[in-house]
Amino acid sequence: MVSYKEIKASNALINDTNAPRVAVFVGGTSGIGKFTVTALVATDASVRVYLVGRKSSEEHTRIFIQELHTINPKAEVIWIEGEVALLAETKRVCEVIKSKESHVDLLFLTAGYAPFGTRKETAEGIEVAQSLEYYSRMLFILHLLPLLGEAEAPRVISVLGGGLERTTIDLDDLDLKKPGNFSGIQAQTQYIPMNSMTLEKIANDNTNVTFIHSWPGSVNTGNVRRGLEPNSILAWFIWLILEPLITLFSFSDEESGQRHLFQCTSAAFGGRGVPWHGPPGINSQEQPENGLFLVNRKCSCTPNAKAMHLLREKAQGKIWDHTQEVLRPYL
Ligand SMILES: NC(=O)c1ccc[n+]([C@@H]2O[C@H](COP(=O)([O-])OP(=O)(O)OC[C@H]3O[C@@H](n4cnc5c(N)ncnc54)[C@H](OP(=O)(O)O)[C@@H]3O)[C@@H](O)[C@H]2O)c1
């Protein structure tokens, strides 16, 4: 566990030499992504931040960008509109970034929601939350890897459920398309290990890049009711009863942002970045080396060895082959 005091002390050391100078946030228009952008910009470092989001968020994001400029006039924040639930759009957004940058230091991925409701598909035939939390994220990584490879200490963070992998993943129906096979719980059971397995495979092939699959714990962003019809009884119940309860044991917006900024910058994960004098982070293969780190809400590394070992043996190859098939038209 890393205490909040240690987190703040580490983040206070962020400066122009160790900050991610070019950072891409997909999902920085609200929630944990937004809190983390705010924390990064507030370090006063000279950073260039790309905020990728959908058209409906453009207006409030423009106001957010003005606030960021007030916090740190040296920060350059660039809005890129993109409907990233669509893989064709994800590809287009990546092409825009590639045309503007020669390197990327940080790719921070938070778009998504808990899909507690009926199955909804994108125009490309993928369940919307699966596209946001898995396929689109992996596509961003694969497209931006050459730019990450040009950075000094590149890092990719996917915020979902690192360390919570279960082995009950349905390998015969990875996309939960069979009738009756989709539920909010099963979706998480699929998307979390799919993230960890593919991130680990990409990390093994790109040893220069640090990968983190983060489980943020509870942060009251309204995320649990995003997948529901806004005026449904369940959405009202969650808003009136559940969310006030969630708030009681949630991280504050500020602490969540600081904890994720620590994950973006500390040498605790992989050895590069803001100096860290505690024990080195252990990667998903239980080694104190660079690779994929499964990081929990207290910023501890939780390799989840038993489940990860089984998944590696039985699922990783299948997930990778299937992912390649889905993403191939957009690579
Ligand atoms: N908050 C928690 O307690 C918690 C716990 C465990 C895991 N997680 C996971 O961690 C990730 C980040 O969580 P969060 O609480 O920061 O989420 P959030 O605030 O609810 O949303 C994160 C981002 O997802 C985007 N998004 C949502 N639905 C979208 C859609 N249909 N199309 C395009 N973009 C969409 C949002 O864009 P807009 O701003 O345009 O709406 C926002 O930028 C999510 O995958 C979440 O499931 C969260």
Side-chain angles (χ1 to χ4, degrees), residues 316-329:
Q316 197 164 34
K318 280 190 182 175
I319 293 171
W320 179 249
D321 290 347
H322 179 75
T323 302
Q324 290 283 295
E325 232 171 79
V326 173
L327 298 186
R328 193 166 295 121

Side-chain angles (χ1 to χ4, degrees), residues 27-33 54 56-57 60 83-85 110-114 128 132-133 137 159-160 215-223 226:
T29 50
S30 56
I32 296 162
R54 51 187 165 171
S56 55
S57 289
H60 71 82
E83 200 63 57
V84 296
T110 52
Y113 57 86
V128 178
L132 291 167
E133 293 183 337
R137 294 188 189 191
V159 178
L160 188 63
W215 171 53
S218 181
V219 190
N220 193 5
T221 59
N223 189 269
R226 269 188 185 271

Side-chain angles (χ1 to χ4, degrees), residues 7 30 33 55 110 147 154 162 183 262 282 295:
I7 298 278
S30 56
K55 179 83 185 150
T110 52
L147 268 65
S183 71
F262 175 78
I282 303 295
V295 178

